[in-house]
Amino acid sequence: MSVVSGPIVQPENPAERIVLKTLALTWPFYFIGALYVVGPVLGWTLGGLAALSLYLGPAIREDLRATGPVPPVVWGWFLGMFVMLIALWVGHVDWGLGLKQTIKSSIGWAKGWALLALFPLVGAVLPIRREILIRGQCIVGLWTLALVPILAAAPYVGLPERIFTSPFKAIGGPGPEYFSVYFYTFDPASWTPRWQFYAPWSPFAALLGVVMVLFALEEKDRRWRAAGIGAGIAMILMSKSRMGLVGLVACTIGPRMMPLLLKGWAWQLVAGLTASLALIGPTLVQGFKDGVAAFKGARADSTRVRETLQRIAGERWQNEAYWFGHGTIAPGPHLVEYMPIGSHHTWWGLLFVKGLVGFLALLVPMVWQTALALIDSARGPRGRLPLGIMMTLVLLSMGENIEIEAYMMWPGLIILGLHARELADAAQSRAAAPHALPA
């Protein structure tokens, strides 16, 4: 799929080769139902390589030496995910779920929550450049654009929804959809086709499209950039996801507006707009309410199920398992179409499954990482991509369980670690500058 020419971006070490090759093979891995296996294997393999690089120091080959010590925010992710594991164990003991279920859930933690710490470690320690990840995402975009005509035509020429379910499902996972290969699916509300590309379902595909656009916007070559942006927008539109449309606007424009915070004229403009709200405020508020109602009404059944799931999860968390949760998700009633309690929302799911302890274990590193990205994006373009990734993760957490989708978000997670490393290097340079000898 190298028909698009442009500046040559070649991997310079084994870590970059692994990352670029894995991204380039995203669609082939999907065709055999292996993506859910590839993500955790990649995380633990590269995480082990990063740990080995830190341990061996200068004894390891030169092109794999650690770029520096582990940044504090990455340690924050590790501490948070370790607390998550402790909360899981305590919840299983409290509810008498047994050793077999505890082992199974711990393996699930290793394939999910642990990746939120491992991939930032990889980006922070191993010498992986942004350009490799950006070009890799655009290669995925080129694959996607090439397949869009086939996927779009599939429901109208009589091709089946699901092609097959891979034997890899024997490894175990959240459900068969993680190992299935689809042309398309039908929306049960409107009975119209929607597409999920290489994701397990359409809303997640939309946010993967947002991530692709964010990466492509950083691509220096205009043809690769066009391929990535075009593919990302196609994924968002064809998935028919409301959250994807919100993400396309908010996560791309928001980070680029941050430098305005340091401009005096921008604050004067805000002051003027604030004063004018006294006159037009009620109209704007009503318009906002109407917009929210229309947004929810676009998929009313989905909205109702999600809100009911969240209400049940919140009530049972407060009344039954405040600190460490229930240990696992629980079957839902007919009222929520038998969707599991603790699913379809990261934060309510955390409260239900891992209690307040698990909730804080994710909240603290996410706020920390977001604050770093916010400050840096206000200072310059370096923080735009990390902030866009964090905004996408926040959006994802509001409608999905982020841990079972970390296996597909790994390029963005590596960027978070890489950004932490860049900030640490910049701080070190500023600290050394006053002591530098004059030329």
Side-chain angles (χ1 to χ4, degrees):
M1 301 296 295
S2 57
V3 296
V4 178
S5 60
I8 297 176
V9 177
Q10 293 288 354
E12 297 178 350
N13 55 67
E16 289 192 339
R17 279 193 289 273
I18 292 171
V19 166
L20 186 61
K21 182 65 71 173
T22 304
L23 275 171
L25 292 176
T26 294
W27 274 103
F29 283 137
Y30 174 70
F31 292 150
I32 61 173
L35 281 177
Y36 186 73
V37 178
V38 169
V41 169
L42 180 70
W44 283 97
T45 300
L46 290 180
L49 185 59
L52 185 66
S53 177
L54 289 167
Y55 177 74
L56 292 179
I60 200 170
R61 52 186 291 175
E62 186 174 356
D63 60 354
L64 282 178
R65 288 176 186 169
T67 56
V70 180
V73 69
V74 177
W75 282 122
W77 280 108
F78 266 94
L79 178 60
M81 297 310 103
F82 179 71
V83 170
M84 201 78 73
L85 180 61
I86 298 301
L88 181 148
W89 289 340
V90 173
H92 278 62
V93 171
D94 285 347
W95 290 87
L97 298 179
L99 180 61
K100 181 179 179 181
Q101 180 62 43
T102 302
I103 294 174
K104 181 179 178 181
S105 297
S106 299
I107 294 173
W109 171 88
K111 295 188 293 184
W113 290 116
L115 302 184
L116 296 180
L118 286 171
F119 282 121
L121 174 71
V122 169
V125 172
L126 294 180
I128 299 173
R129 293 167 294 155
R130 284 193 184 211
E131 291 81 0
I132 290 292
L133 292 158
I134 292 168
R135 180 59 56 86
Q137 281 283 15
C138 290
I139 292 173
V140 180
L142 186 59
W143 271 95
T144 304
L145 285 180
L147 292 168
V148 159
I150 300 173
L151 297 174
Y156 304 106
V157 298
L159 294 176
E161 294 180 52
R162 184 173 62 185
I163 303 173
F164 75 99
T165 298
S166 171
F168 283 112
K169 72 175 183 178
I171 295 174
E177 61 271 17
Y178 285 79
F179 305 97
S180 297
V181 182
Y182 292 86
F183 277 123
Y184 60 94
T185 57
F186 278 110
D187 185 342
S190 61
W191 207 245
T192 57
R194 61 192 306 203
W195 290 261
Q196 57 200 67
F197 296 88
Y198 46 86
W201 46 69
S202 298
F204 185 27
L207 289 180
L208 289 176
V210 173
V211 170
M212 186 173 293
V213 171
L214 291 173
F215 273 91
L217 286 172
E218 304 294 319
E219 172 60 56
K220 294 180 173 60
D221 181 75
R222 60 182 179 84
R223 286 164 290 189
W224 280 114
R225 183 167 61 246
I229 293 174
I233 292 175
M235 292 175 69
I236 293 166
L237 296 179
M238 293 176 68
S239 68
K240 301 181 181 179
S241 167
R242 299 166 297 170
M243 193 174 292
L245 293 172
V246 172
L248 178 61
V249 176
C251 300
T252 55
I253 297 178
R256 285 161 175 75
M257 298 292 286
M258 288 301 297
L260 295 180
L261 293 177
L262 303 180
K263 306 291 184 182
W265 63 265
W267 285 102
Q268 294 172 6
L269 178 61
V270 170
L273 291 174
T274 302
S276 69
L277 287 179
L279 297 175
I280 64 173
T283 303
L284 291 177
V285 170
Q286 186 59 46
F288 177 76
K289 290 181 178 179
D290 293 342
V292 171
F295 182 81
K296 292 183 175 180
R299 291 178 55 81
D301 289 342
S302 173
T303 299
R304 177 189 59 81
V305 169
R306 288 176 183 273
E307 289 179 347
T308 306
L309 278 171
Q310 293 164 24
R311 187 181 70 251
I312 295 174
E315 291 173 354
R316 292 190 58 183
W317 158 63
Q318 288 182 309
N319 297 327
E320 300 172 0
Y322 188 82
W323 290 107
F324 293 99
H326 293 78
T328 185
I329 57 177
H334 174 68
L335 180 64
V336 291
E337 300 177 7
Y338 303 105
M339 295 292 183
I341 308 301
S343 65
H344 290 75
H345 197 288
T346 295
W347 303 104
W348 287 112
L350 271 175
L351 289 171
F352 181 82
V353 177
K354 295 182 174 65
L356 185 61
V357 171
F359 182 94
L360 294 174
L362 178 62
L363 180 66
V364 171
M366 280 198 75
V367 170
W368 190 351
Q369 188 86 57
T370 303
L372 293 175
L374 280 168
I375 295 170
D376 199 41
S377 63
R379 292 172 174 166
R382 181 179 59 192
R384 291 188 309 207
L385 180 55
L387 180 57
I389 295 298
M390 287 308 303
M391 292 175 68
T392 306
L393 287 173
V394 170
L395 265 182
L396 184 64
S397 72
M398 296 302 177
E400 307 280 351
N401 291 80
I402 198 171
E403 77 280 7
I404 59 175
E405 293 167 350
Y407 77 102
M408 288 299 298
M409 294 295 292
W410 64 265
L413 296 173
I414 289 180
I415 284 291
L416 298 181
L418 193 153
H419 182 237
R421 180 183 79 201
E422 292 171 342
L423 292 177
D425 290 345
Q428 186 176 11
S429 298
R430 287 195 300 271
H435 306 289
L437 294 176

